[in-house]
Amino acid sequence: MADEAQNKADCERIFKRFDANGDGKISLAELGNALKELGSSSQDEVKRRMAEIDLDGDGFISLEELFEFQRANPDLMKIVVKKL
């Protein structure tokens, strides 16, 4: 249970960091900037990640969608947390 709470806190911290304008959603541009900061600058990679995480296809990543991605990819999210 403690791991779940820590994972959720980490995810919220990542979300706030990536949501540069604070509107409660991560846009393609914000995701691109975040991934560039983490060492990925490929536009194809950004588009692929957006399609993978944006479950409802609205063009934005919500906090809930990021939680779902974290649950499905815990090791990847741990790497992101370490880099931030």
Side-chain angles (χ1 to χ4, degrees):
M1 188 62 87
D3 284 344
E4 179 76 20
Q6 183 61 51
N7 289 342
K8 189 169 185 174
D10 288 344
C11 193
E12 288 174 349
R13 185 166 57 98
I14 291 167
F15 187 86
K16 287 178 184 176
R17 176 86 178 263
F18 288 8
D19 180 20
N21 66 3
D23 65 355
K25 54 191 175 186
I26 299 170
S27 68
L28 183 63
E30 288 169 327
L31 181 62
N33 290 338
L35 291 179
K36 187 174 182 181
E37 184 180 322
L38 293 170
S40 175
S41 58
S42 163
Q43 190 61 26
D44 288 339
E45 172 73 8
V46 174
K47 289 178 183 177
R48 188 174 65 76
R49 288 291 177 196
M50 176 59 86
E52 183 178 7
I53 302 170
D54 178 22
L55 299 175
D56 65 8
D58 68 351
F60 297 96
I61 298 170
S62 68
L63 181 56
E64 187 55 42
E65 288 170 328
L66 193 61
F67 283 149
E68 288 299 320
F69 182 76
Q70 179 188 41
R71 284 185 205 106
N73 301 278
D75 293 335
L76 179 60
M77 292 298 280
K78 286 177 186 175
I79 293 168
V80 172
V81 168
K82 287 180 184 179
K83 289 187 174 191
L84 293 180

